[in-house]
């Protein structure tokens, strides 16, 4: 599994009243996840739609922002699902898209186990 583009999905917003707090918490979580993955694995390139496209989240047309994310996912060979992804309409959309296109899907925990088996491939 060398040289792959890896799409790292994590919930971003929320339908709760305290949406700003949830967004901040989720941004901090994905920052930590991305830092860990990028430093732990020199063989793959990790892409985070939240880092690339979060500024589109509050656009009137949510579907357009999701489609932009799916366009990036199309270029990847692996999807990693993080956090409480089952409660996120964006992550569920990404999961469905990857599933329909036979893109390999891992939970963060499964991917970390895979990396641990690779030995030291850190940067």
């Amino acid at each position: 599994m060398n040289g792959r583009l890896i799409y790292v999905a994590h919930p971003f917003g929320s339908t709760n009243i305290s949406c700003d707090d949830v967004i901040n918490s989720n941004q901090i979580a994905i920052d930590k996840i991305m830092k860990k993955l990028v430093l732990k694995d020199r063989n793959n390139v990790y892409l985070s739609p939240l880092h690339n496209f979060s500024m589109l989240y509050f656009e009137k047309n949510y579907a357009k922002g999701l489609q932009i994310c799916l366009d990036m996912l199309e270029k990847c060979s692996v999807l990693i699902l993080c956090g409480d992804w089952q409660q996120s309409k964006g992550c569920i959309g990404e999961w469905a898209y990857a599933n329909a296109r036979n893109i390999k899907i891992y939970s963060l925990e499964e991917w970390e186990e895979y990396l641990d088996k690779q030995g030291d491939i850190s940067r």
Side-chain angles (χ1 to χ4, degrees):
M1 280 198 198
N2 289 337
R4 295 181 181 211
L5 289 177
I6 312 293
Y7 187 102
V8 184
H10 191 286
F12 183 60
S14 174
T15 57
N16 296 335
I17 294 170
S18 60
C19 189
D20 289 341
D21 292 338
V22 171
I23 289 172
N24 188 44
S25 174
N26 284 336
Q27 188 66 52
I28 291 168
I30 189 61
D31 287 350
K32 289 179 182 177
I33 290 166
M34 289 299 291
K35 180 178 179 180
K36 182 177 181 180
L37 291 174
V38 167
L39 293 176
K40 190 172 186 175
D41 179 8
R42 69 175 177 266
N43 294 331
N44 295 298
V45 175
Y46 292 89
L47 302 174
S48 162
L50 295 186
H51 289 95
N52 286 57
F53 309 121
S54 62
M55 74 292 296
L56 300 174
Y57 183 78
F58 291 106
E59 297 261 335
K60 290 181 182 177
N61 188 350
Y62 179 84
K64 182 177 183 178
L66 179 58
Q67 185 59 55
I68 292 169
C69 293
L70 296 178
D71 290 343
M72 184 168 79
L73 177 55
E74 180 67 32
K75 309 288 189 250
C76 297
S77 56
V78 173
L79 167 64
I80 299 174
L81 294 163
C82 305
D84 194 13
W85 71 268
Q86 299 94 336
Q87 303 303 314
S88 163
K89 65 181 177 179
C91 290
I92 291 169
E94 291 159 334
W95 171 85
Y97 187 89
N99 198 37
R101 284 163 178 72
N102 295 317
I103 296 170
K104 293 186 179 186
I105 303 170
Y106 296 85
S107 69
L108 177 60
E109 294 76 19
E110 291 168 334
W111 187 254
E112 287 177 330
E113 286 176 20
Y114 165 78
L115 289 179
D116 288 342
K117 292 177 184 175
Q118 303 309 302
D120 184 9
I121 55 172
S122 63
R123 294 178 191 266

